[in-house]
Amino acid sequence: QVQLVESGGGSVQSGGSLRLSCAISGNFTRRCVSWFRRTPEKERVAVAILYRSSGTTLYADSVKGRFTISQDSAKSTVFLQMDSLKPEDTAMYYCASALSYCPEFSPTYDYWGQGTQVTVSA
């Protein structure tokens, strides 16, 4: 059974930083792990993708240069470092994993966490 557990969300002022963590458990190889966010106005939108073997990363244009996705050496935790946060970054953030084919920006991943709330005030 694959489990993803997010943590690190919270409230911060505009310009501040937060670091989200996604703890991954299970005995399956995962091709990629990604961070999505959802607001009441928008369905889940991918913000960052990490290919676990190669380390290749992809970012949505809205977060390029501000967010960084990474993983620890044991590949058991994936992080999302969020800097220069803006009020429009306010959302529920989810991590997701794909076993073989990586859907990249499409929300068709195999496993999802429960989410962690990020609120950025002006």
Side-chain angles (χ1 to χ4, degrees), residues 91-104:
M92 183 71 79
Y93 283 74
Y94 300 86
C95 63
S97 71
L99 297 179
S100 53
Y101 167 73
C102 182
E104 294 192 350

Side-chain angles (χ1 to χ4, degrees), residues 3-116:
Q3 281 191 315
L4 306 172
V5 180
E6 303 95 336
S7 62
S11 297
V12 64
Q13 288 191 327
S14 181
S17 298
L18 282 174
R19 189 193 199 201
L20 306 183
S21 297
C22 175
I24 304 167
S25 62
N27 296 323
F28 300 96
T29 300
R30 289 159 292 280
R31 182 165 179 81
C32 66
V33 176
S34 302
W35 285 95
F36 281 73
R37 63 188 182 189
R38 186 186 70 181
T39 66
E41 297 78 28
K42 281 187 179 180
E43 285 299 319
R44 295 179 187 187
V45 175
V47 296
I49 295 120
L50 171 70
Y51 280 89
R52 292 167 63 78
S53 293
S54 67
T56 299
T57 57
L58 300 171
Y59 295 95
D61 287 342
S62 59
V63 306
K64 275 181 187 174
R66 300 189 299 121
F67 289 13
T68 303
I69 188 171
S70 63
Q71 62 186 344
D72 66 352
S73 57
K75 297 185 179 179
S76 61
T77 305
V78 172
F79 305 100
L80 185 67
Q81 178 67 41
M82 305 186 296
D83 299 317
S84 302
L85 283 161
K86 305 174 181 180
E88 50 264 43
D89 294 318
T90 295
M92 183 71 79
Y93 283 74
Y94 300 86
C95 63
S97 71
L99 297 179
S100 53
Y101 167 73
C102 182
E104 294 192 350
F105 293 94
S106 172
T108 54
Y109 283 67
D110 299 304
Y111 298 98
W112 293 84
Q114 293 300 305
T116 185

